[in-house]
Each structure stands twice: as structure tokens, then as C-alpha cells.
Amino acid sequence: MTNISPRGVFTRSGLFMDKDLLVTKGITPIFSQKARADNFALKIGERASLVKEQGARSYGVVMTLEQAKVRELYAEENVQEYRPEKLTVEYEDGIQEEVTCYNLPVNLICGTNSAYAQKLLELTTALGFPDDFLKHIRSFV
């Protein structure tokens, strides 16, 4: 993404938060910082997505990516149904910013995928996200 926002795309608490995974896909983040999205809940079915939910809190990573690379990434068959959505995140330094987050439409969140949830739990633990968020992810394992 050249500049969907000054800082980047919120990778919505999914496996795309893993910089090493992105590098294997030929994508090198220019900027990367942890952030929180209030009033969005993480839902994990066969795939993960954020869903608007008053009072909820989700964590993820904001990355600045080349626009062409973002289009390529979300053109992959397993994520092509995700749609860009603007949301406001707060960084650990307290700065708030509107970013773009790719989310799956609510009606397409179905099924379960405990293997995905386990990988996500390992990643979010390594990233040092809060215990209550890790507990939420653990409920999908």
C-alpha cells in the first residue's frame, strides 16, 4: 500500500501479522507497529475477521505495504472475499489513526478451524498481546 493511511494496513489479528509469512509471499512491510481496535471483536470460523461489536477490543499489527502487494495478497483464493474497511486504531503510544483493515463479510464467517486458531494463538502470544485477548483466541482452539 502506498498510502491507504500514513502508517498502513491493520492486519486484523490474523496470520498476516506475521512479517515472516509476508516475506515468503514477496511482501516486505515498510512500517510495522502493534495497535488496538476498539468496538471490534475477533471472530474465528474457517477464517478470521473483525466484526463490529460495542465494547469489544481486538489487537493486531499495522503495516505499511505497497498498494500493488496488498491487491496481490488479497487476490489469493483463500482470502479474496475479504473487503477493505476503514477503522480507527490506537497505537501503544496513544496515537490514534484511521487505517484500512481487510475483513470477511459477517455472513461468510462460518465453521471452525482450530488449527488456524492455534497458529494465531502462538503468533499473538509471541507478539505479547494482552492475556484477555489471548484467552479469547484460546476459546476457538
Side-chain angles (χ1 to χ4, degrees), residues 6 8 12-13 16 18 27 31 39 41 49 53 68 73 87 99 103 107 121 123 125 136:
R12 71 153 168 71
S13 305
F16 288 158
D18 185 346
I27 301 170
F31 166 88
N39 299 313
S49 188
E53 183 179 303
L73 184 64
L87 56 88
V99 297
N103 286 315
N107 63 317
L121 179 60
L123 178 59
T125 299
H136 176 68

Side-chain angles (χ1 to χ4, degrees), residues 102-118:
Y102 282 75
N103 286 315
L104 193 61
V106 176
N107 63 317
L108 297 179
I109 302 171
C110 59
T112 60
N113 187 339
S114 60
Y116 177 90
Q118 180 62 44

Side-chain angles (χ1 to χ4, degrees), residues 25-135:
K25 295 176 176 290
I27 301 170
T28 303
I30 300 163
F31 166 88
S32 176
Q33 187 173 344
K34 294 190 297 186
R36 179 186 81 228
D38 291 334
N39 299 313
F40 282 88
L42 175 66
K43 302 294 182 187
I44 302 175
E46 292 172 9
R47 295 175 280 174
S49 188
L50 293 183
V51 176
K52 289 181 184 178
E53 183 179 303
Q54 191 64 33
R57 180 174 279 179
S58 289
Y59 295 82
V61 177
V62 174
M63 296 180 183
T64 301
L65 307 169
E66 292 178 34
Q67 183 67 43
K69 296 292 186 180
V70 173
R71 283 192 299 271
E72 286 176 31
L73 184 64
Y74 283 97
E76 292 180 9
E77 186 176 344
N78 64 330
V79 292
Q80 66 186 4
E81 293 172 319
Y82 282 80
R83 298 292 175 250
E85 178 178 353
K86 298 285 187 188
L87 56 88
T88 300
V89 298
E90 184 172 319
Y91 297 100
E92 293 177 309
D93 61 9
I95 294 174
Q96 293 186 353
E97 180 176 40
E98 185 177 76
V99 297
T100 300
C101 179
Y102 282 75
N103 286 315
L104 193 61
V106 176
N107 63 317
L108 297 179
I109 302 171
C110 59
T112 60
N113 187 339
S114 60
Y116 177 90
Q118 180 62 44
K119 287 179 187 175
L120 185 57
L121 179 60
E122 291 168 10
L123 178 59
T124 52
T125 299
L127 288 168
F129 288 132
D131 289 339
D132 60 332
F133 188 63
L134 299 177
K135 181 180 177 183

